[in-house]
PDB file of all heavy atoms in Angstrom:
ATOM      1  N   VAL A1200      18.847   9.273  18.594  1.00  0.00           N
ATOM      2  CA  VAL A1200      19.435   8.055  17.999  1.00  0.00           C
ATOM      3  C   VAL A1200      20.944   8.196  17.943  1.00  0.00           C
ATOM      4  O   VAL A1200      21.686   7.314  18.346  1.00  0.00           O
ATOM      5  CB  VAL A1200      18.840   7.802  16.601  1.00  0.00           C
ATOM      6  CG1 VAL A1200      19.646   6.738  15.832  1.00  0.00           C
ATOM      7  CG2 VAL A1200      17.400   7.385  16.677  1.00  0.00           C
ATOM      8  N   LEU A1201      21.424   9.314  17.432  1.00  0.00           N
ATOM      9  CA  LEU A1201      22.859   9.544  17.321  1.00  0.00           C
ATOM     10  C   LEU A1201      23.536   9.546  18.698  1.00  0.00           C
ATOM     11  O   LEU A1201      24.646   9.025  18.834  1.00  0.00           O
ATOM     12  CB  LEU A1201      23.149  10.837  16.584  1.00  0.00           C
ATOM     13  CG  LEU A1201      22.756  10.835  15.126  1.00  0.00           C
ATOM     14  CD1 LEU A1201      22.910  12.240  14.503  1.00  0.00           C
ATOM     15  CD2 LEU A1201      23.528   9.817  14.313  1.00  0.00           C
ATOM     16  N   LYS A1202      22.872  10.118  19.710  1.00  0.00           N
ATOM     17  CA  LYS A1202      23.439  10.191  21.037  1.00  0.00           C
ATOM     18  C   LYS A1202      23.644   8.788  21.637  1.00  0.00           C
ATOM     19  O   LYS A1202      24.552   8.571  22.429  1.00  0.00           O
ATOM     20  CB  LYS A1202      22.562  11.025  21.950  1.00  0.00           C
ATOM     21  CG  LYS A1202      23.215  11.431  23.213  1.00  0.00           C
ATOM     22  CD  LYS A1202      22.875  12.889  23.504  1.00  0.00           C
ATOM     23  CE  LYS A1202      23.428  13.322  24.807  1.00  0.00           C
ATOM     24  NZ  LYS A1202      24.642  14.019  24.716  1.00  0.00           N
ATOM     25  N   THR A1203      22.818   7.830  21.232  1.00  0.00           N
ATOM     26  CA  THR A1203      22.983   6.460  21.757  1.00  0.00           C
ATOM     27  C   THR A1203      24.064   5.715  21.020  1.00  0.00           C
ATOM     28  O   THR A1203      24.438   4.607  21.399  1.00  0.00           O
ATOM     29  CB  THR A1203      21.674   5.661  21.597  1.00  0.00           C
ATOM     30  OG1 THR A1203      21.419   5.446  20.191  1.00  0.00           O
ATOM     31  CG2 THR A1203      20.505   6.305  22.305  1.00  0.00           C
ATOM     32  N   GLY A1204      24.615   6.266  19.924  1.00  0.00           N
ATOM     33  CA  GLY A1204      25.641   5.605  19.166  1.00  0.00           C
ATOM     34  C   GLY A1204      25.039   4.769  18.035  1.00  0.00           C
ATOM     35  O   GLY A1204      25.756   4.066  17.316  1.00  0.00           O
ATOM     36  N   ALA A1205      23.722   4.790  17.886  1.00  0.00           N
ATOM     37  CA  ALA A1205      23.064   4.073  16.805  1.00  0.00           C
ATOM     38  C   ALA A1205      23.052   4.902  15.531  1.00  0.00           C
ATOM     39  O   ALA A1205      23.430   6.063  15.541  1.00  0.00           O
ATOM     40  CB  ALA A1205      21.638   3.707  17.234  1.00  0.00           C
ATOM     41  N   ALA A1206      22.614   4.311  14.471  1.00  0.00           N
ATOM     42  CA  ALA A1206      22.485   5.002  13.173  1.00  0.00           C
ATOM     43  C   ALA A1206      20.999   5.115  12.884  1.00  0.00           C
ATOM     44  O   ALA A1206      20.175   4.350  13.369  1.00  0.00           O
ATOM     45  CB  ALA A1206      23.176   4.242  12.080  1.00  0.00           C
ATOM     46  N   TYR A1207      20.641   6.075  12.020  1.00  0.00           N
ATOM     47  CA  TYR A1207      19.236   6.226  11.624  1.00  0.00           C
ATOM     48  C   TYR A1207      19.094   6.078  10.141  1.00  0.00           C
ATOM     49  O   TYR A1207      20.039   6.239   9.352  1.00  0.00           O
ATOM     50  CB  TYR A1207      18.646   7.540  12.156  1.00  0.00           C
ATOM     51  CG  TYR A1207      19.148   8.774  11.448  1.00  0.00           C
ATOM     52  CD1 TYR A1207      18.404   9.334  10.386  1.00  0.00           C
ATOM     53  CD2 TYR A1207      20.303   9.410  11.838  1.00  0.00           C
ATOM     54  CE1 TYR A1207      18.857  10.479   9.735  1.00  0.00           C
ATOM     55  CE2 TYR A1207      20.756  10.570  11.203  1.00  0.00           C
ATOM     56  CZ  TYR A1207      20.029  11.073  10.141  1.00  0.00           C
ATOM     57  OH  TYR A1207      20.464  12.219   9.538  1.00  0.00           O
ATOM     58  N   LEU A1208      17.875   5.726   9.740  1.00  0.00           N
ATOM     59  CA  LEU A1208      17.509   5.558   8.344  1.00  0.00           C
ATOM     60  C   LEU A1208      16.305   6.476   8.078  1.00  0.00           C
ATOM     61  O   LEU A1208      15.225   6.221   8.569  1.00  0.00           O
ATOM     62  CB  LEU A1208      17.127   4.089   8.081  1.00  0.00           C
ATOM     63  CG  LEU A1208      16.425   3.802   6.754  1.00  0.00           C
ATOM     64  CD1 LEU A1208      17.368   4.066   5.558  1.00  0.00           C
ATOM     65  CD2 LEU A1208      15.945   2.365   6.744  1.00  0.00           C
ATOM     66  N   PRO A1209      16.519   7.584   7.378  1.00  0.00           N
ATOM     67  CA  PRO A1209      15.368   8.451   7.119  1.00  0.00           C
ATOM     68  C   PRO A1209      14.417   7.808   6.116  1.00  0.00           C
ATOM     69  O   PRO A1209      14.852   7.330   5.070  1.00  0.00           O
ATOM     70  CB  PRO A1209      16.004   9.728   6.543  1.00  0.00           C
ATOM     71  CG  PRO A1209      17.338   9.290   6.012  1.00  0.00           C
ATOM     72  CD  PRO A1209      17.766   8.107   6.813  1.00  0.00           C
ATOM     73  N   ILE A1210      13.144   7.798   6.474  1.00  0.00           N
ATOM     74  CA  ILE A1210      12.114   7.270   5.578  1.00  0.00           C
ATOM     75  C   ILE A1210      11.116   8.428   5.348  1.00  0.00           C
ATOM     76  O   ILE A1210      10.540   8.939   6.290  1.00  0.00           O
ATOM     77  CB  ILE A1210      11.366   6.102   6.214  1.00  0.00           C
ATOM     78  CG1 ILE A1210      12.280   4.920   6.527  1.00  0.00           C
ATOM     79  CG2 ILE A1210      10.183   5.666   5.343  1.00  0.00           C
ATOM     80  CD1 ILE A1210      12.657   4.080   5.333  1.00  0.00           C
ATOM     81  N   ASP A1211      10.991   8.821   4.103  1.00  0.00           N
ATOM     82  CA  ASP A1211      10.045   9.877   3.758  1.00  0.00           C
ATOM     83  C   ASP A1211       8.645   9.262   3.664  1.00  0.00           C
ATOM     84  O   ASP A1211       8.414   8.353   2.867  1.00  0.00           O
ATOM     85  CB  ASP A1211      10.426  10.493   2.406  1.00  0.00           C
ATOM     86  CG  ASP A1211       9.598  11.711   2.050  1.00  0.00           C
ATOM     87  OD1 ASP A1211       8.455  11.840   2.585  1.00  0.00           O
ATOM     88  OD2 ASP A1211      10.081  12.523   1.261  1.00  0.00           O
ATOM     89  N   PRO A1212       7.708   9.726   4.499  1.00  0.00           N
ATOM     90  CA  PRO A1212       6.362   9.159   4.459  1.00  0.00           C
ATOM     91  C   PRO A1212       5.666   9.351   3.098  1.00  0.00           C
ATOM     92  O   PRO A1212       4.664   8.689   2.798  1.00  0.00           O
ATOM     93  CB  PRO A1212       5.608   9.867   5.568  1.00  0.00           C
ATOM     94  CG  PRO A1212       6.552  10.793   6.242  1.00  0.00           C
ATOM     95  CD  PRO A1212       7.843  10.750   5.505  1.00  0.00           C
ATOM     96  N   GLU A1213       6.208  10.247   2.279  1.00  0.00           N
ATOM     97  CA  GLU A1213       5.601  10.468   0.960  1.00  0.00           C
ATOM     98  C   GLU A1213       6.111   9.481  -0.092  1.00  0.00           C
ATOM     99  O   GLU A1213       5.587   9.469  -1.218  1.00  0.00           O
ATOM    100  CB  GLU A1213       5.919  11.911   0.469  1.00  0.00           C
ATOM    101  CG  GLU A1213       5.396  12.982   1.421  1.00  0.00           C
ATOM    102  CD  GLU A1213       3.876  12.957   1.503  1.00  0.00           C
ATOM    103  OE1 GLU A1213       3.230  12.815   0.436  1.00  0.00           O
ATOM    104  OE2 GLU A1213       3.346  13.130   2.611  1.00  0.00           O
ATOM    105  N   HIS A1214       7.119   8.679   0.245  1.00  0.00           N
ATOM    106  CA  HIS A1214       7.630   7.707  -0.707  1.00  0.00           C
ATOM    107  C   HIS A1214       6.574   6.630  -1.017  1.00  0.00           C
ATOM    108  O   HIS A1214       5.731   6.337  -0.155  1.00  0.00           O
ATOM    109  CB  HIS A1214       8.890   7.030  -0.211  1.00  0.00           C
ATOM    110  CG  HIS A1214      10.125   7.838  -0.357  1.00  0.00           C
ATOM    111  ND1 HIS A1214      11.261   7.631   0.374  1.00  0.00           N
ATOM    112  CD2 HIS A1214      10.432   8.875  -1.181  1.00  0.00           C
ATOM    113  CE1 HIS A1214      12.180   8.487   0.025  1.00  0.00           C
ATOM    114  NE2 HIS A1214      11.684   9.262  -0.914  1.00  0.00           N
ATOM    115  N   PRO A1215       6.633   6.039  -2.198  1.00  0.00           N
ATOM    116  CA  PRO A1215       5.705   4.942  -2.494  1.00  0.00           C
ATOM    117  C   PRO A1215       5.874   3.785  -1.500  1.00  0.00           C
ATOM    118  O   PRO A1215       6.998   3.528  -1.027  1.00  0.00           O
ATOM    119  CB  PRO A1215       6.143   4.511  -3.918  1.00  0.00           C
ATOM    120  CG  PRO A1215       6.905   5.652  -4.486  1.00  0.00           C
ATOM    121  CD  PRO A1215       7.547   6.334  -3.324  1.00  0.00           C
ATOM    122  N   ALA A1216       4.776   3.113  -1.216  1.00  0.00           N
ATOM    123  CA  ALA A1216       4.760   2.041  -0.230  1.00  0.00           C
ATOM    124  C   ALA A1216       5.783   0.956  -0.566  1.00  0.00           C
ATOM    125  O   ALA A1216       6.437   0.402   0.338  1.00  0.00           O
ATOM    126  CB  ALA A1216       3.362   1.428  -0.121  1.00  0.00           C
ATOM    127  N   GLU A1217       5.950   0.621  -1.840  1.00  0.00           N
ATOM    128  CA  GLU A1217       6.909  -0.417  -2.244  1.00  0.00           C
ATOM    129  C   GLU A1217       8.343  -0.011  -1.865  1.00  0.00           C
ATOM    130  O   GLU A1217       9.139  -0.833  -1.464  1.00  0.00           O
ATOM    131  CB  GLU A1217       6.824  -0.684  -3.748  1.00  0.00           C
ATOM    132  CG  GLU A1217       5.492  -1.150  -4.230  1.00  0.00           C
ATOM    133  CD  GLU A1217       4.484  -0.020  -4.454  1.00  0.00           C
ATOM    134  OE1 GLU A1217       4.914   1.149  -4.779  1.00  0.00           O
ATOM    135  OE2 GLU A1217       3.276  -0.263  -4.245  1.00  0.00           O
ATOM    136  N   ARG A1218       8.683   1.253  -2.042  1.00  0.00           N
ATOM    137  CA  ARG A1218      10.026   1.727  -1.726  1.00  0.00           C
ATOM    138  C   ARG A1218      10.248   1.643  -0.218  1.00  0.00           C
ATOM    139  O   ARG A1218      11.282   1.219   0.253  1.00  0.00           O
ATOM    140  CB  ARG A1218      10.244   3.134  -2.236  1.00  0.00           C
ATOM    141  CG  ARG A1218      11.650   3.686  -1.936  1.00  0.00           C
ATOM    142  CD  ARG A1218      11.858   5.046  -2.536  1.00  0.00           C
ATOM    143  NE  ARG A1218      13.093   5.635  -2.147  1.00  0.00           N
ATOM    144  CZ  ARG A1218      14.259   5.483  -2.776  1.00  0.00           C
ATOM    145  NH1 ARG A1218      14.289   4.750  -3.879  1.00  0.00           N
ATOM    146  NH2 ARG A1218      15.349   6.057  -2.339  1.00  0.00           N
ATOM    147  N   VAL A1219       9.265   2.108   0.583  1.00  0.00           N
ATOM    148  CA  VAL A1219       9.386   2.064   2.019  1.00  0.00           C
ATOM    149  C   VAL A1219       9.553   0.624   2.511  1.00  0.00           C
ATOM    150  O   VAL A1219      10.433   0.303   3.307  1.00  0.00           O
ATOM    151  CB  VAL A1219       8.154   2.734   2.711  1.00  0.00           C
ATOM    152  CG1 VAL A1219       8.141   2.469   4.194  1.00  0.00           C
ATOM    153  CG2 VAL A1219       8.098   4.209   2.390  1.00  0.00           C
ATOM    154  N   GLU A1220       8.727  -0.247   1.960  1.00  0.00           N
ATOM    155  CA  GLU A1220       8.834  -1.676   2.330  1.00  0.00           C
ATOM    156  C   GLU A1220      10.197  -2.239   1.973  1.00  0.00           C
ATOM    157  O   GLU A1220      10.784  -2.958   2.784  1.00  0.00           O
ATOM    158  CB  GLU A1220       7.726  -2.492   1.638  1.00  0.00           C
ATOM    159  CG  GLU A1220       7.675  -3.908   2.082  1.00  0.00           C
ATOM    160  CD  GLU A1220       6.486  -4.671   1.495  1.00  0.00           C
ATOM    161  OE1 GLU A1220       5.704  -4.071   0.722  1.00  0.00           O
ATOM    162  OE2 GLU A1220       6.376  -5.859   1.794  1.00  0.00           O
ATOM    163  N   PHE A1221      10.702  -1.919   0.777  1.00  0.00           N
ATOM    164  CA  PHE A1221      12.014  -2.400   0.368  1.00  0.00           C
ATOM    165  C   PHE A1221      13.116  -1.905   1.335  1.00  0.00           C
ATOM    166  O   PHE A1221      13.928  -2.681   1.771  1.00  0.00           O
ATOM    167  CB  PHE A1221      12.359  -1.939  -1.061  1.00  0.00           C
ATOM    168  CG  PHE A1221      13.783  -2.244  -1.410  1.00  0.00           C
ATOM    169  CD1 PHE A1221      14.178  -3.501  -1.831  1.00  0.00           C
ATOM    170  CD2 PHE A1221      14.773  -1.261  -1.296  1.00  0.00           C
ATOM    171  CE1 PHE A1221      15.479  -3.805  -2.116  1.00  0.00           C
ATOM    172  CE2 PHE A1221      16.074  -1.539  -1.591  1.00  0.00           C
ATOM    173  CZ  PHE A1221      16.455  -2.819  -2.004  1.00  0.00           C
ATOM    174  N   MET A1222      13.116  -0.614   1.645  1.00  0.00           N
ATOM    175  CA  MET A1222      14.149  -0.064   2.508  1.00  0.00           C
ATOM    176  C   MET A1222      14.096  -0.661   3.907  1.00  0.00           C
ATOM    177  O   MET A1222      15.144  -1.014   4.478  1.00  0.00           O
ATOM    178  CB  MET A1222      14.035   1.460   2.590  1.00  0.00           C
ATOM    179  CG  MET A1222      14.422   2.167   1.298  1.00  0.00           C
ATOM    180  SD  MET A1222      14.530   3.943   1.411  1.00  0.00           S
ATOM    181  CE  MET A1222      12.874   4.405   1.789  1.00  0.00           C
ATOM    182  N   LEU A1223      12.904  -0.830   4.462  1.00  0.00           N
ATOM    183  CA  LEU A1223      12.783  -1.421   5.800  1.00  0.00           C
ATOM    184  C   LEU A1223      13.235  -2.900   5.804  1.00  0.00           C
ATOM    185  O   LEU A1223      13.920  -3.334   6.715  1.00  0.00           O
ATOM    186  CB  LEU A1223      11.366  -1.285   6.337  1.00  0.00           C
ATOM    187  CG  LEU A1223      10.907   0.130   6.670  1.00  0.00           C
ATOM    188  CD1 LEU A1223       9.469   0.132   7.088  1.00  0.00           C
ATOM    189  CD2 LEU A1223      11.783   0.692   7.779  1.00  0.00           C
ATOM    190  N   HIS A1224      12.886  -3.618   4.753  1.00  0.00           N
ATOM    191  CA  HIS A1224      13.312  -5.015   4.672  1.00  0.00           C
ATOM    192  C   HIS A1224      14.839  -5.096   4.464  1.00  0.00           C
ATOM    193  O   HIS A1224      15.499  -5.912   5.121  1.00  0.00           O
ATOM    194  CB  HIS A1224      12.570  -5.716   3.493  1.00  0.00           C
ATOM    195  CG  HIS A1224      13.046  -7.141   3.304  1.00  0.00           C
ATOM    196  ND1 HIS A1224      12.669  -8.152   4.158  1.00  0.00           N
ATOM    197  CD2 HIS A1224      13.857  -7.664   2.381  1.00  0.00           C
ATOM    198  CE1 HIS A1224      13.275  -9.266   3.735  1.00  0.00           C
ATOM    199  NE2 HIS A1224      13.990  -8.999   2.660  1.00  0.00           N
TER     200      HIS A1224
END
C-alpha cells in the first residue's frame, strides 16, 4: 500500500463490530 503512494487504515479484527463499522464508514 505504501509503495503505491496510498495510505492504510489498520483495523484490528478483535475490535467490536460497531467500532469497525464506524471506522470503515
Side-chain angles (χ1 to χ4, degrees):
V1200 167
L1201 293 173
K1202 195 138 176 97
T1203 67
Y1207 71 95
L1208 167 66
I1210 300 282
D1211 186 337
E1213 300 296 318
H1214 280 159
E1217 300 81 30
R1218 181 177 173 89
V1219 171
E1220 185 174 1
F1221 171 81
M1222 289 188 296
L1223 290 176
H1224 176 75

